[in-house]
Amino acid sequence: MPDTGTAGRHPAQQGAAGDGRTRQLVARLLLEQGPITAAAVAEELGLSPAAVRRHLDVLVVEGEAWTRESSRRGRRGRGRPAKQFLLTEQGRARFGHAYDDLAASALRFLAEQSGQEAVRSFAERRMAALVAHHREALDSGRNPGERAEVLADALTREGYAASTRSVGAGEQLCQHHCPVAHVAADFPQLCEAETEAFAEVLGTHVQRLATIANGDAACTTHIPRPGARDRSETDPTPAGSVPTDQGETDEIPDGRESV
């Protein structure tokens, strides 16, 4: 039987394969935790900063990642802010945008034949099916915060790389990947149905702050803590901000300062 491992490979081939696996790990970390610095990537993966920067440079040159300066808020000392790395849409494609063109064509045909309301009905049915698959686990949460954690786990299993954290007067649900982002850019009904489904399963009003379909780094949803004042009626929170307990806001430029 032929050897399908690495033993028979030329050293250069083995090195290239190893580089490819490491670069995939670096790209996944940018997907799940971006924006993130090279030092943070190195620490997370247990690699040298020099090795990580080499992989990040390749991702940037190939158009799979881009950089920006980190926020000055909370930064100590002098000198330039640390550079942060995020995936581009091309970089996200590493993790699957299968059948985007086919799905978009199908929805365009549905809209032409039956109208935009038919697209919305499809979007709602799609989310209902996803929720139904995880309904038992979602119903086990005793409050919106607990259900948000269960929802993040469910979304991750569905390919959304989701996570939560406490922010200001509630929780923040972040989806670092969206399998239908390219289609949702043309059909916002998909994002609208998703937001409504989140409100239903969490049992509370939620506020969508950012979406990958709109060019943000993550789909970010604010979930108010029980008993917190609902600012959406009396003091609307600007898009890209999250209410805090002190009545201030934690700025989220372009939706990218998320989990």
Side-chain angles (χ1 to χ4, degrees), residues 33-40 66-86 251-253 256-258:
Q33 298 188 27
I36 187 171
T37 64
W66 62 284
T67 65
R68 71 173 195 189
E69 288 187 349
S70 61
S71 171
R72 291 182 177 274
R73 185 176 351 107
R75 187 174 59 86
R76 297 180 178 179
R78 297 186 177 182
R80 298 185 61 185
K83 186 183 295 184
Q84 294 180 317
F85 293 82
L86 304 91
E251 293 297 330
I252 306 179
R256 295 189 176 98
E257 290 290 346
S258 50

Side-chain angles (χ1 to χ4, degrees), residues 174-195:
C174 284
Q175 297 152 255
H176 302 277
H177 179 54
C178 177
V180 298
H182 289 185
V183 181
D186 292 328
F187 296 95
Q189 295 95 325
L190 294 171
C191 296
E192 293 165 3
E194 185 178 273
T195 304

Side-chain angles (χ1 to χ4, degrees), residues 127-158:
M127 283 307 302
L130 186 151
V131 168
H133 187 61
H134 301 280
R135 174 61 72 176
E136 184 176 351
L138 289 166
D139 288 345
S140 67
R142 293 171 296 180
N143 55 59
E146 287 187 6
R147 287 192 290 274
E149 292 183 8
V150 177
L151 178 58
D153 290 340
L155 290 169
T156 295
R157 289 194 291 274
E158 298 289 343

